[in-house]
Amino acid sequence: YSNAFSLLKGSIRAKADAIKFQLVYADELSTPRYIHYKFFKSLEMNLDKWIKIRKYSKKNKIKFYLDKNKKLLNLVSRYI
């Protein structure tokens, strides 16, 4: 979460028009026995964290895009 928020803040400071995040799901990328599975798992974020990031981007007038999972994007949009 802190990495995503730092990227968002940096994009705002750089006066970017938009930010796009790639959603990562460890189970879609590998099996639990894969050497980097735990790393992929650590990149996953729950809906509450995505909502906080989306609200902050909206407040700071930067376009927000999520790649990979339209279902999560629709859920996030409902809360803002």
Side-chain angles (χ1 to χ4, degrees):
Y1 173 73
S2 63
N3 288 339
F5 212 81
S6 293
L7 287 170
L8 176 57
K9 287 180 178 180
S11 297
I12 292 165
R13 280 192 305 271
K15 300 187 192 287
D17 295 324
I19 189 164
K20 181 178 179 181
F21 291 98
Q22 175 72 40
L23 296 173
V24 174
Y25 295 103
D27 295 327
E28 292 180 2
L29 297 172
S30 67
T31 64
R33 291 184 286 175
Y34 180 60
I35 190 170
H36 298 296
Y37 180 82
K38 287 182 183 178
F39 171 71
F40 294 146
K41 199 72 172 161
S42 74
L43 296 175
E44 294 180 9
M45 292 194 317
N46 65 31
L47 178 61
D48 291 337
K49 291 178 182 173
W50 283 118
I51 291 170
K52 288 177 184 178
I53 289 172
R54 173 62 181 113
K55 284 182 178 180
Y56 193 80
S57 67
K58 191 171 185 179
K59 177 183 172 185
N60 286 278
K61 297 182 171 100
I62 186 171
K63 293 176 187 172
F64 174 85
Y65 297 99
L66 283 177
D67 191 26
K68 181 75 171 140
N69 188 325
K70 290 182 183 179
K71 182 178 177 183
L72 181 60
L73 180 59
N74 288 336
L75 285 172
V76 169
S77 297
R78 285 186 207 162
Y79 290 94
I80 326 177

